[in-house]
Amino acid sequence: MFKYSEKVMDHFMNPRNVGQIDNADGEGTVGNPICGDLMTFYIKVDNGRLTDLRFKTFGCGAAIAVSSMVSEMAKGKTLDEAMKITNKMVARELGGLPKNKLHCSNLGADALHKAIEDYRNKKGKRGKRK
Ligand code: FES
């Protein structure tokens, strides 16, 4: 039987940055077509950097660990740097995931990128720099 890495267990048992940002600058939700689970990321942006991130994940333990890890990896990064975080990088940071749970890591970076795109769209519409 596959054993989850200590990092996965830690981020699952003590997820960082869980929750919601009410006046978020960007928000992104993705669903996993394989299992139907959902992940939403909320971001705050200041001067082109992610100053705060929160997430809500209605999913399995691996998905929760992935969200938590993504939030830690992205905090403080510029938007361009955060856009370069890939699902593979997240799974690697977590010390790997079992093969049949790899699809769970597909939500993390995608939800983050969607939130950044949402922020960029809104910013474009407002027509001002932040
Ligand atoms: Fe759905 Fe893991 S089983 S995200």
Side-chain angles (χ1 to χ4, degrees):
M1 202 178 84
F2 184 90
K3 205 169 161 288
Y4 283 111
S5 72
E6 266 175 40
K7 261 196 185 167
V8 172
M9 288 312 290
D10 179 32
H11 279 268
F12 168 54
M13 302 297 275
N14 312 291
R16 316 338 179 224
N17 306 308
V18 179
Q20 185 172 333
I21 300 174
D22 286 333
N23 52 347
D25 293 321
E27 195 180 313
T29 300
V30 290
N32 191 323
I34 297 175
C35 61
D37 291 346
L38 282 176
M39 188 184 290
T40 302
F41 259 93
Y42 305 87
I43 57 169
K44 278 303 240 187
V45 182
D46 191 21
N47 217 2
R49 265 181 205 278
L50 289 166
T51 51
D52 199 11
L53 299 97
R54 305 277 150 171
F55 71 86
K56 275 189 181 167
T57 294
F58 303 93
C60 68
I64 290 169
V66 162
S67 332
S68 172
M69 180 53 91
V70 168
S71 70
E72 285 214 315
M73 285 169 80
K75 209 172 219 173
K77 289 222 169 26
T78 66
L79 298 182
D80 287 342
E81 285 166 350
M83 285 303 274
K84 286 187 191 134
I85 296 173
T86 64
N87 293 319
K88 266 197 185 136
M89 284 160 75
V90 179
R92 208 181 314 131
E93 265 315 296
L94 281 169
L97 284 167
K99 227 183 186 170
N100 62 352
K101 283 282 169 188
L102 271 178
H103 73 269
C104 311
S105 68
N106 289 341
L107 294 175
D110 292 352
L112 171 68
H113 296 165
K114 217 164 170 189
I116 293 172
E117 278 159 20
D118 179 50
Y119 163 75
R120 285 178 164 161
N121 283 339
K122 283 181 183 154
K123 194 179 87 166
K125 279 186 192 133
R126 281 199 311 265
K128 65 173 186 186
R129 291 185 66 83
K130 193 171 176 195

